[in-house]
Amino acid sequence: MSITADARELQDDIVRLRHELHQDPEIGLQLPRTQEKVLKALEGLPFEITLGKSTTSVTAVLRGSAPYASATKPTVLLRADMDGLPVQERTGALFSSKTDGAMHACGHDLHTAMLAGAATLLAERRDQLAGDVVLMFQPGEEGWDGASHMIREGVLDAAGRRADAAYGMHVFSALEPHGRFATKSGVMLSASDALTVTVLGAGGHGSAPHVAKDPVTAAAEMVTALQVMITRQFNVFDPVVLTVGVLQAGTKRNIIPESARIEATVRTFSEPARERMMAAVPTLLKGIAAAHGLEVDVDYRHEYPPTVNDDDETRTAEKSIENLFGSSRLSRWATPLSGSEDFSRVLAEVPGTFIGLSAVAPGADHTTTAFNHSPYAAFDDGVLSDGTALYAELAVSRIAALASAAN
């Protein structure tokens, strides 16, 4: 049977695991119940299992048993992230989260279930593999940099040598019609950085601002000045996106507070723009503070780098998608998204690509459905077998090509 047919045979099992994960989301780097479910799904399969030391990660290595001519066996890595978000679910799904204030609002439960299903497909094809497959079940993608933890603990070399290619997949609850895969060579996702600003003034009575040092007006000026700076100092064709999500100050309308706080997320699509922002932002904010006779503390922290897809590995993925599902199921994006991913850490070390998959419900309007991270974000089970099949096909076809090239 074909990989897609075999994946469809596993659909019920994949759905069951996805629902179990969805009902029991965990957040951060420690996901003991999620790890337990993954290990149960891998039970009885011929994988070498390594558990994380600093996280509850799972690394599973399948040793292909087909003959190979080269002294070094090809290795392909497949990654799925496992963590949820601090979101109160409001989808109304029958399998909604049972954990108050936590939800798989970004679809990581689908990623994990699909990769677990792919483990079965690959184990069944072990004698066809002239190389090894590494499965990377990763906690802590949502701001915890779980990929870095796993890289430090050796996931990229888990098979005994550095992986030749790496593939990740991410479902979306909007953007594309149901079942459509999305690819893009080069930068696919932005870098993400965190900006925290504390404006320090001197409190006083609201009726006499001249004898206080008001941090609120300075903070307000900073919010708008940041946007103006981007339009005047950065190339519009190398964009920067800055959004202030937190603006806090004061306790009562007639009290001038001593401090004001700004928190923002910064998205850039190139390392030069990223480094320039890190230098320009403190200069701007310190200048505004000085003009108001205030002090300011600026904390600008790098989070995830841009997710940069390798051209050749992206073409490999596109060919696999078209071979399995036809060209009508493939969208080649012209522009990147301003979301960010720590799979970027893997792609900085190993040639690979990150693939999108629309889990919008069949017939739903993908332009208006709630997007990932929303409490209303809904992901359709119908894509699970296709995602499972693609994970497996990427490993099988890439190892075959690498082995053939070695011959």
Side-chain angles (χ1 to χ4, degrees):
M1 294 176 70
S2 68
I3 278 183
T4 52
D6 285 348
R8 285 193 290 271
E9 289 290 320
L10 295 174
Q11 172 75 357
D12 290 346
D13 292 335
I14 304 167
V15 169
R16 188 178 305 111
L17 175 57
R18 186 255 161 148
H19 288 188
E20 290 174 359
L21 293 165
H22 192 88
Q23 290 179 309
D24 189 19
E26 296 176 288
I27 296 168
L29 296 170
Q30 302 302 322
L31 320 175
R33 298 186 304 278
T34 302
Q35 183 188 62
E36 182 181 354
K37 292 178 179 68
V38 169
L39 293 174
K40 183 178 178 182
L42 298 177
E43 201 170 74
L45 300 177
F47 283 86
E48 301 169 9
I49 306 292
T50 304
L51 304 184
K53 296 181 177 65
S54 60
T55 75
T56 53
S57 64
V58 178
T59 301
V61 179
L62 179 68
R63 305 288 183 183
S65 57
Y68 60 98
S70 172
T72 55
K73 295 174 69 174
T75 302
V76 169
L77 181 144
L78 305 174
R79 179 268 206 164
D81 41 6
M82 304 188 294
D83 55 322
L85 283 160
V87 172
Q88 184 66 47
E89 181 163 4
R90 304 197 185 282
T91 64
L94 295 176
F95 53 91
S96 289
S97 170
K98 295 181 179 179
T99 302
D100 191 48
M103 175 189 174
H104 271 294
C106 204
H108 296 187
D109 50 330
L110 283 83
H111 307 164
T112 302
M114 292 188 300
L115 190 58
T120 296
L121 298 182
L122 290 166
E124 293 171 350
R125 289 161 173 78
R126 187 182 187 186
D127 60 354
Q128 302 173 27
L129 294 171
D132 301 331
V133 183
V134 178
L135 305 186
M136 177 182 178
F137 291 95
Q138 180 210 308
E141 188 279 325
E142 295 290 357
W144 300 83
D145 208 358
S148 286
H149 287 262
M150 293 193 73
I151 290 170
R152 283 194 296 270
E153 294 182 5
V155 68
L156 303 183
D157 304 289
R161 59 182 296 272
R162 181 58 53 103
D164 296 288
Y167 303 101
M169 206 179 312
H170 205 299
V171 294
F172 299 117
S173 60
L175 301 181
E176 293 281 348
H178 169 82
R180 188 81 62 84
F181 292 91
T183 61
K184 185 188 178 301
S185 291
V187 178
M188 186 175 189
L189 299 171
S190 70
S192 173
D193 295 319
L195 173 63
T196 303
V197 181
T198 305
V199 185
L200 304 169
H205 198 288
S207 66
H210 60 288
V211 296
K213 292 185 178 181
D214 188 356
V216 176
T217 52
E221 184 177 333
M222 289 174 183
V223 171
T224 55
L226 285 167
Q227 304 298 337
V228 174
M229 180 196 73
I230 290 170
T231 68
R232 292 298 175 264
Q233 296 187 31
F234 289 83
N235 189 335
V236 67
F237 296 106
D238 187 7
V240 176
V241 179
L242 185 149
T243 297
V244 173
V246 175
L247 182 57
Q248 294 176 336
T251 57
K252 195 174 181 182
R253 69 181 184 276
N254 64 344
I255 299 173
I256 294 172
E258 290 192 340
S259 66
R261 181 180 179 85
I262 300 166
E263 293 183 26
T265 183
V266 184
R267 308 297 169 123
T268 51
F269 297 86
S270 72
E271 284 301 330
R274 191 183 194 197
E275 295 306 319
R276 189 175 176 194
M277 275 294 287
M278 194 171 193
V281 167
T283 300
L284 173 71
L285 299 185
K286 289 176 182 178
I288 293 172
H292 288 269
L294 307 175
E295 300 292 327
V296 64
D297 178 69
V298 181
D299 183 12
Y300 195 115
R301 296 187 183 183
H302 280 342
E303 294 178 327
Y304 297 160
T307 300
V308 184
N309 288 341
D310 179 82
D311 292 347
D312 291 339
E313 297 301 340
T314 301
R315 284 191 289 270
T316 294
E318 290 171 349
K319 183 178 178 181
S320 292
I321 293 165
E322 290 176 329
N323 287 344
L324 291 180
F325 310 110
S327 59
S328 65
R329 294 280 299 278
L330 175 62
S331 289
R332 292 180 173 90
W333 286 351
T335 57
L337 290 180
S338 51
S340 303
E341 248 286 346
D342 69 352
F343 189 62
S344 56
R345 306 286 193 197
V346 175
L347 295 181
E349 301 287 337
V350 175
T353 196
F354 198 51
I355 303 157
L357 171 57
S358 175
V360 172
D365 183 351
H366 60 278
T367 66
T368 60
T369 52
F371 191 44
N372 296 35
H373 288 219
S374 165
Y376 300 96
F379 303 89
D380 182 60
D381 289 334
V383 304
L384 287 169
S385 64
D386 286 352
T388 295
L390 181 59
Y391 265 133
E393 175 62 20
L394 288 167
V396 171
S397 61
R398 193 68 183 103
I399 286 174
L402 289 165
S404 176
N407 291 336

